[in-house]
Amino acid sequence: MVKNSILRVIKIINWLLKPKIRKTLMFLTTIGSAIIFMFANDAFEVADKKPASIYYSHATDVRVNSYAVMDEPVETVAPLSEQQFRNISRQAYDYSCGSAALTTLLNGYLGRQFTEKQIMDGLLKFGEYEKIVQRRGFSMLDMKRLVTALGHPSGGYKGSINDLKKLDHPAIIPIHYANFKHFVIVRKYKEGRFFIADPALGNISFPEARLEEIWDGNVMFVVFPNGFKPQPTLELTEADMRFIDDKTINYLAFMEVSENHRQMELNADRAGTLQRVFNADEKASQAESIIDVPLRSYYRRK
């Protein structure tokens, strides 16, 4: 009996080992694996999340212990790095603040479409080449020569902080800041602050007294449209006005944070809105009693 069973198994194995049968089985195995992969992929497929999107969900009813959640509409935000350098040509080298500032001014104010490399090549061609190499940087005279070659009238002026406040055009100025000399663009003066397009730091602002302190030589370089329609690219926006003042920055930097996280949570709950509800959770320590539920929100609707 056992011998017959063994012989049957050997015959089946020999039959399976035949070339045609083996190829057929391999083909069916491949098709089967592909079908299984397809169904598994469909079953567990997750929609691609768009970059810079915020997905938020919260409990449907905070008064009961439930896993039901409600999804909020997806909010799309720009990364902070993009907002910081919005409409600014970021300098590619530590010595190229002059070319980046001029690129930003020509593109943002006059609507030109230059790259920093093109402006850098133009400054080397029309500027004082030997002095540029010697100082490893560009000057306002180099900028004026290139701008003149491009057909735009321009001028370098010396003035006071009040003159800078009254300017109708954006201006490139030299500053001595953080122990190095640098070129930036003054976009606008408003509410006691100068709003700056900095090729190294992005969109920043200085209080009037601080800019007056770091302004190097009280000189400015202005390019005039001369037939080109001024663009609003460098104009102030609502986002520019939401700056954090120096006092707040210093407070946050030196603020002592409690190590007791639970105590911080309790303080936040007390500061939030509380709602008295009936506790329907039978397993809770305060079951079937009136409790205070904190209604806290971590986002702000538009």
Side-chain angles (χ1 to χ4, degrees):
M1 187 76 177
V2 175
K3 183 177 180 181
N4 291 336
S5 298
I6 294 174
L7 290 175
R8 289 194 194 98
V9 172
I10 293 174
K11 288 181 179 180
I12 292 173
I13 293 174
N14 289 333
W15 179 76
L16 291 174
L17 291 177
K18 290 181 179 180
K20 291 184 178 180
I21 301 299
R22 189 167 63 249
K23 289 181 180 180
T24 303
L25 289 175
M26 291 178 63
F27 175 75
L28 293 175
T29 301
T30 304
I31 294 297
S33 300
I35 293 175
I36 292 173
F37 174 79
M38 181 182 67
F39 282 109
N41 188 56
D42 290 340
F44 296 100
E45 183 177 2
V46 178
D48 292 336
K49 292 186 176 182
K50 297 180 180 179
S53 297
I54 298 176
Y55 296 80
Y56 176 79
S57 60
H58 58 83
T60 304
D61 190 348
V62 299
R63 296 172 298 177
V64 296
N65 189 13
S66 173
Y67 290 102
V69 296
M70 179 183 297
D71 293 328
E72 291 290 334
V74 179
E75 295 285 349
T76 302
V77 297
L80 181 59
S81 58
E82 291 184 9
Q83 297 180 33
Q84 186 69 14
F85 285 90
R86 184 184 68 257
N87 301 325
I88 294 179
S89 177
R90 191 170 185 175
Q91 65 185 77
Y93 308 98
D94 57 352
Y95 57 83
S96 66
C97 60
S99 57
L102 186 58
T103 304
T104 301
L105 182 62
L106 292 175
N107 293 349
Y109 182 53
L110 301 180
R112 306 299 296 264
Q113 299 294 323
F114 293 116
T115 64
E116 185 192 4
K117 186 180 183 306
Q118 289 175 323
I119 294 299
M120 194 179 298
D121 291 341
L123 289 169
L124 289 170
K125 179 179 180 181
F126 294 98
E128 299 177 300
Y129 181 82
E130 294 182 357
K131 291 185 177 180
I132 292 174
V133 174
Q134 183 180 2
R135 75 170 84 96
R136 296 189 78 249
F138 305 106
S139 67
M140 286 187 172
L141 178 59
D142 300 324
M143 297 182 195
K144 180 172 179 57
R145 289 184 175 183
L146 173 59
V147 167
T148 300
L150 292 174
H152 298 292
S154 62
Y157 305 94
K158 190 176 181 67
S160 65
I161 197 72
N162 289 327
D163 296 325
L164 203 59
K165 290 163 61 174
K166 297 175 184 177
L167 276 181
D168 294 330
H169 310 276
I172 296 177
I173 66 169
I175 62 174
H176 193 207
Y177 182 65
N179 294 325
F180 68 94
K181 294 189 176 182
H182 190 48
F183 280 118
V184 298
I185 299 174
V186 176
R187 298 169 58 194
K188 201 80 172 179
Y189 172 81
K190 190 172 184 178
E191 297 180 4
R193 300 183 75 91
F194 283 96
F195 290 85
I196 304 295
D198 188 324
L201 300 178
N203 289 295
I204 60 175
S205 67
F206 289 110
E208 177 183 339
R210 179 57 174 155
L211 186 69
E212 187 173 17
E213 179 184 344
I214 64 176
W215 188 11
D216 190 11
N218 286 50
V219 293
M220 65 189 83
F221 179 69
V222 180
V223 180
F224 301 98
N226 189 32
F228 283 80
K229 182 180 180 180
Q231 302 297 309
T233 308
L234 294 178
E235 289 292 328
L236 297 186
T237 64
E238 182 183 352
D240 293 314
M241 301 305 296
R242 293 202 298 265
F243 61 86
I244 302 177
D245 60 90
D246 301 332
K247 182 178 179 181
T248 302
I249 293 175
N250 292 334
Y251 171 76
L252 294 175
F254 295 101
M255 181 178 63
E256 181 179 353
V257 180
S258 173
E259 295 182 0
N260 190 339
H261 182 73
R262 178 56 185 162
Q263 185 60 45
M264 294 174 62
E265 287 290 314
L266 292 174
N267 293 338
D269 287 337
R270 294 192 188 99
T273 304
L274 296 179
Q275 178 177 324
R276 297 185 67 81
V277 298
F278 179 78
N279 189 1
D281 186 5
E282 298 178 355
K283 298 181 181 180
S285 59
Q286 296 176 319
E288 299 183 354
S289 62
I290 303 298
I291 61 174
D292 292 328
V293 177
L295 303 179
R296 292 166 55 193
S297 179
Y298 294 93
Y299 69 98
R300 183 177 65 184
R301 296 181 183 274
K302 292 184 178 179

